């Protein structure tokens, strides 16, 4: 066993609070199983391994960063202090999150990024989404023995769920276009953390315990994440020398080591012959990935989505992500209404109704634009938004699910409600988001993911990282029989639809806000709600990010945090909204956002969650005097 978890005596603050709900290995809206039992009281870490304190808000000059993890934030800050730019710092932070947040962030996954380049004052979108093997067909997740779709549980822990990883290609593209440092140099902070270890907190323990049964069945995953046969104890120090060595080899050989070299062969071997314990009862189906699929992969530079909203220019991630199009459409719908901070209930009613309509259109029309026709310009047109907005009643919620609209370029004042809709597809709720700004005014908003907590549960032997399960973001079967064709069915070298929404907001051509969040299909509503809180309801960014959340994804229920229900539930129920506590995971918690705001030229405020998922870590290069 190559991992060590050193056990110490009672310690102080830990990196995150409890992750209270189980991994969702059913549909995205399924109620998760109960969380695993807690662990005994921690012992104090040995010298040099004290958990770093977190601060959710930092204001100052010279650059800023916000992530969920102090080690990752510190890695980015050190890059900024040494003269690196926002892109350099984002990559360094992403690599470090691969060590400290291995169940949501790894080089076995992918991600999306928006980037503001201060030199030409333009926003760019970089797509590092995984794609499927060349042999993938629409019936990929149909069991040939039964003719029925696999259960999500059976599909996720398998080689079938693994897409060609995009993270390393995205880093390579990002650094070549916008970076000033070599990848090898930016991997050094992560290598140190992997070698020296980090202090296990309650959330890391709980995420491990939630995955324990499936981790136990995969030999290299068990050896890595269940040292001594059980989840590492809270307060112990977790080391990953295999990942440190993998990063060292990447620094030496470059990203071609994955896409054209030995590491790629090892990934293919893991996918096609999953390293399952022969004694395990679990059926772990092999995938069909080939070395040629890795060689064919490219990260993409795209034009971001763009809408104007109340004097702000809002840029987001274009398809294959639905984040930018759905946030943008909802904002366009909301622009038809006056949202008064003195009447938050009415504002939230409009927010929920706009989300409902935009999600209906997302399900009907958004997929990988390289494989299906996505009417993006029409989805983001003011005419379509007006047609959709006229369906919203100020005092009555529409019965959900609502049907999609017709973004055909011919728009009537109103269209009658219909009955056809789509089932909300399963989409892993766990990713991680970071934001970085540098002293030159460059800004990165970056979401990285391997899909579910623990991804496919397949660890590449001897390499220290998990592989994604992003292929389960595809629709398993065509939905809404007789309706529109599903744009998100599996296909060769096709990218599954995502909800990831790294967002950058400009005011008068200059950066004003950057934000994003994990949360699967709730990402869109969390980003949208934070924007409404900040722009329409007059909250500052810390309050906008901390405010209780609700998510309406064209479902009969509005899922919400308990604090939202306590504050607004009765008044919204009077308008026909049916509120229920968000089932998770984590139960009752929606998202874990990070953001930043330029308060005035040069002065930046970085913001992380103060409480959700244990809070995040906001840092600045030169703190402002209080």
């Amino acid at each position: 066993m190559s991992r060590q978890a050193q056990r110490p005596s009672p310690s102080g603050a830990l990196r995150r609070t409890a992750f209270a709900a189980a991994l969702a290995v059913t549909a995205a809206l399924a109620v998760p199983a109960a969380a695993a039992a807690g662990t005994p009281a921690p012992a104090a870490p040995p010298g040099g391994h004290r958990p770093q304190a977190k601060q959710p808000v930092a204001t100052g000059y010279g650059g800023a960063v916000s992530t969920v993890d102090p080690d990752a934030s510190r890695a980015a800050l050190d890059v900024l202090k040494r003269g690196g730019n926002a892109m350099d710092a984002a990559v360094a932070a992403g690599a470090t999150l691969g060590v400290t947040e291995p169940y949501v962030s790894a080089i076995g996954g992918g991600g999306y990024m928006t980037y503001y380049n201060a030199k030409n004052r333009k926003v760019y979108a970089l797509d590092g989404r995984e794609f499927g093997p060349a042999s993938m067909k629409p019936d990929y997740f149909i069991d040939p023995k039964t003719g029925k779709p696999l259960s999500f549980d059976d599909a996720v822990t398998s080689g079938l769920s693994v897409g060609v990883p995009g993270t390393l290609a995205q880093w390579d593209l990002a650094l070549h276009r916008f970076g000033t440092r070599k990848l090898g140099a930016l991997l050094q902070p992560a290598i140190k953390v992997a070698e020296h270890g980090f202090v296990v907190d309650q959330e890391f323990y709980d995420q491990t315990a939630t995955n324990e049964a499936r981790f136990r069945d995969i030999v290299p995953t068990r050896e890595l994440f269940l040292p001594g046969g059980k989840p590492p104890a809270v307060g112990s120090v977790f080391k990953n020398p295999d990942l440190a060595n993998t990063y060292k080899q990447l620094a030496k050989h470059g990203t071609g080591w994955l896409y054209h070299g030995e590491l790629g062969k090892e990934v293919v071997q893991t996918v096609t012959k999953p390293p399952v314990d022969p004694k395990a009862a679990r059926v772990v189906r092999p995938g069909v990935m080939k070395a040629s699929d890795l060689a064919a992969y490219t990260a993409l530079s795209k034009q971001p989505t763009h809408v104007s909203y109340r004097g702000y220019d809002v840029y987001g991630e274009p398809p294959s992500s639905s984040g930018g199009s759905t946030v943008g459409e909802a904002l366009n719908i909301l622009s038809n209404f006056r949202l008064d901070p003195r009447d938050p209930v009415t504002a939230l009613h409009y927010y929920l109704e706009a989300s409902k309509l935009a999600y209906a259109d997302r399900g009907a029309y958004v997929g990988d634009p390289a494989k299906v026709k996505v009417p993006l310009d029409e989805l983001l047109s003011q005419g379509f938004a007006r047609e959709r907005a006229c369906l919203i009643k100020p005092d009555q919620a529409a019965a959900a699910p609502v049907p999609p609209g017709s973004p055909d370029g011919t728009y009537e004042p109103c269209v009658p409600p219909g009955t056809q809709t789509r089932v909300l597809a399963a989409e892993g709720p766990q990713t991680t988001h970071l934001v970085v700004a540098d002293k030159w005014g460059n800004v990165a908003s970056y979401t990285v993911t391997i899909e579910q907590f623990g991804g496919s549960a397949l660890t590449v032997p001897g390499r220290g990282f998990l592989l994604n399960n992003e292929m389960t973001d595809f629709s398993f079967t065509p939905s809404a029989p007789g309706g529109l064709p599903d744009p998100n069915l599996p296909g060769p070298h096709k990218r599954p639809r995502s909800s990831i929404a790294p967002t950058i907001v400009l005011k008068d051509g200059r950066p004003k806000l950057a934000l994003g969040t994990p949360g699967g299909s709730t990402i869109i509503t969390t980003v949208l709600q934070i924007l409404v809180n900040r722009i329409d309801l007059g909250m500052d960014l810390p309050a906008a990010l901390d405010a209780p959340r609700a998510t309406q994804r064209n479902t009969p229920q509005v899922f919400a945090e308990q604090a939202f229900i306590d504050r607004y539930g009765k008044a919204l129920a009077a308008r026909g909204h049916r509120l229920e506590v968000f089932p998770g995971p984590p139960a009752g918690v929606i998202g874990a956002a990070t953001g930043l705001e330029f308060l005035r030229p040069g002065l930046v405020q970085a913001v992380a969650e103060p409480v959700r998922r244990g809070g995040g870590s906001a840092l600045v290069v030169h703190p402002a005097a209080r």
Side-chain angles (χ1 to χ4, degrees):
M1 221 175 270
S2 59
R3 306 299 166 300
Q4 301 176 16
Q6 303 169 358
R7 202 183 280 259
S9 75
S11 96
L14 296 172
R15 288 190 315 133
R16 304 184 240 359
T17 54
F19 165 61
L23 168 69
V25 287
T26 54
L29 296 182
V31 177
T39 186
H49 285 105
R50 297 289 173 183
Q52 296 186 45
K54 289 182 176 182
Q55 58 179 8
V57 180
T59 306
Y61 303 89
V65 58
S66 179
T67 81
V68 299
D69 179 74
D71 287 308
S73 293
R74 178 61 58 188
L77 194 75
D78 287 347
V79 170
L80 295 176
K81 287 182 174 180
R82 295 174 183 271
N85 68 10
M87 185 60 80
D88 302 324
V91 170
T96 305
L97 288 168
V99 180
T100 60
E101 299 281 329
Y103 305 140
V104 299
S105 173
I107 57 173
Y112 294 96
M113 180 188 294
T114 51
Y115 188 76
Y116 175 80
N117 184 12
K119 287 185 178 180
N120 61 9
R121 298 173 63 176
K122 290 184 178 180
V123 180
Y124 298 84
L126 302 178
D127 181 335
R129 181 67 156 168
E130 304 88 336
F131 69 26
S135 59
M136 178 176 261
K137 298 178 181 179
D139 63 354
Y140 187 72
F141 288 109
I142 302 297
D143 188 339
K145 295 180 180 179
T146 66
K148 298 180 179 180
L150 296 173
S151 70
F152 190 77
D153 193 11
D154 287 340
V156 66
T157 308
S158 76
L160 291 173
S161 73
V162 183
V164 174
T167 292
L168 289 177
Q170 187 180 34
W171 288 354
D172 191 57
L173 173 65
L175 293 174
H176 273 91
R177 290 207 64 185
F178 303 110
T180 67
R181 300 290 188 270
K182 299 292 187 182
L183 177 60
L186 299 174
L187 291 173
Q188 296 308 309
I191 290 170
K192 291 180 181 178
V193 175
E195 288 180 333
H196 298 158
F198 62 90
V199 178
V200 172
D201 67 356
Q202 187 67 49
E203 177 133 341
F204 187 90
Y205 173 89
D206 286 341
Q207 289 179 17
T208 310
T210 297
N211 279 291
E212 183 173 358
R214 65 191 196 124
F215 280 7
R216 192 174 297 283
D217 290 343
I218 311 298
V219 175
T221 308
R222 180 177 66 212
E223 292 177 349
L224 174 58
F225 295 114
L226 301 175
K230 56 187 177 181
V234 175
S236 64
V237 174
F238 187 83
K239 299 180 180 182
N240 193 341
D242 282 352
L243 183 55
N245 182 59
T246 298
Y247 278 171
K248 289 177 181 178
Q249 294 301 312
L250 280 170
K252 179 179 180 181
H253 299 296
T255 59
W257 185 45
L258 171 65
Y259 297 104
H260 304 281
E262 183 60 33
L263 182 59
K265 294 178 183 177
E266 294 175 22
V267 168
V268 170
Q269 175 76 8
T270 305
V271 170
T272 56
K273 296 181 180 179
V276 184
D277 188 329
K279 299 178 182 178
R282 184 185 305 274
V283 176
V284 181
R285 291 169 173 80
V288 295
M289 186 185 297
K290 297 180 179 179
S292 58
D293 295 317
L294 286 161
Y297 185 85
T298 56
L300 306 173
S301 179
K302 294 184 172 182
Q303 191 76 16
T305 61
H306 171 234
V307 298
S308 296
Y309 185 69
R310 311 208 199 277
Y312 294 89
D313 291 293
V314 182
Y315 292 88
E317 194 70 39
S320 57
S321 179
S322 64
S325 64
T326 312
V327 170
E329 181 187 344
L331 289 173
N332 282 342
I333 293 171
L334 288 172
S335 69
N336 290 277
F337 304 98
R338 180 173 178 266
L339 307 187
D340 190 337
R342 296 169 297 181
D343 185 6
V345 172
T346 296
L348 290 168
H349 166 74
Y350 284 128
Y351 151 70
L352 294 172
E353 293 299 279
S355 298
K356 187 183 298 178
L357 293 164
Y359 265 86
D361 299 326
R362 165 192 180 270
Y365 300 113
V366 181
D368 183 349
K371 304 296 181 179
V372 297
K373 181 175 176 57
V374 180
L376 183 61
D377 289 344
E378 295 301 328
L379 288 172
L380 293 176
S381 69
Q382 290 294 339
F384 184 59
R386 283 192 298 271
E387 186 174 81
R388 300 299 272 158
C390 75
L391 298 174
I392 298 178
K393 298 179 180 179
D395 56 356
Q396 183 63 45
V402 300
S406 298
D408 54 12
T410 302
Y411 303 117
E412 302 295 334
C414 282
V415 293
T419 57
Q420 290 184 337
T421 186
R422 291 190 176 280
V423 175
L424 184 65
E427 186 171 348
Q430 304 311 335
T431 64
T432 188
H433 186 81
L434 64 94
V435 289
V436 185
D438 62 32
K439 63 184 179 181
W440 298 284
N442 301 299
V443 180
S445 184
Y446 179 31
T447 311
V448 61
T449 180
I450 63 170
E451 179 63 354
Q452 295 285 334
F453 278 131
S456 63
L458 303 180
T459 297
V460 181
R463 295 303 180 189
F465 65 90
L466 287 156
L467 293 173
N468 69 84
N469 67 289
E470 300 289 1
M471 298 300 94
T472 59
D473 271 358
F474 282 119
S475 303
F476 283 21
T477 59
S479 53
L484 296 165
D486 192 325
N488 192 43
L489 288 173
H493 290 177
K494 186 177 181 180
R495 287 165 159 84
R497 181 175 58 217
S498 172
S499 295
I500 288 174
T503 301
I504 292 177
V505 180
L506 306 186
K507 179 71 171 176
D508 300 324
R510 300 288 186 181
K512 179 62 177 175
L513 299 167
L515 69 150
T517 183
S521 60
T522 70
I523 289 173
I524 292 164
T525 53
T526 295
V527 169
L528 179 62
Q529 189 176 358
I530 292 171
L531 289 173
V532 168
N533 289 343
R534 177 68 189 89
I535 296 172
D536 292 297
L537 299 185
M539 301 179 193
D540 62 17
L541 187 58
L545 198 141
D546 185 41
R549 293 175 187 149
T551 180
Q552 170 49 272
R553 293 164 287 162
N554 200 25
T555 59
Q557 314 93 328
V558 174
F559 289 106
E561 295 175 335
Q562 186 62 54
F564 185 96
I565 295 173
D566 293 344
R567 190 176 302 179
Y568 305 113
K570 183 178 291 186
L572 288 171
R575 301 191 190 204
H577 297 282
R578 178 179 148 197
L579 278 75
E580 296 182 12
V581 174
F582 180 66
V589 179
I590 299 175
T594 57
L596 60 82
E597 178 172 356
F598 287 82
L599 301 178
R600 60 175 183 265
L603 182 63
V604 184
Q605 184 176 68
V607 183
E609 296 281 4
V611 177
R612 291 182 185 92
R613 305 264 290 271
S617 173
L619 298 172
V620 292
V621 174
H622 301 296
R626 294 183 178 181

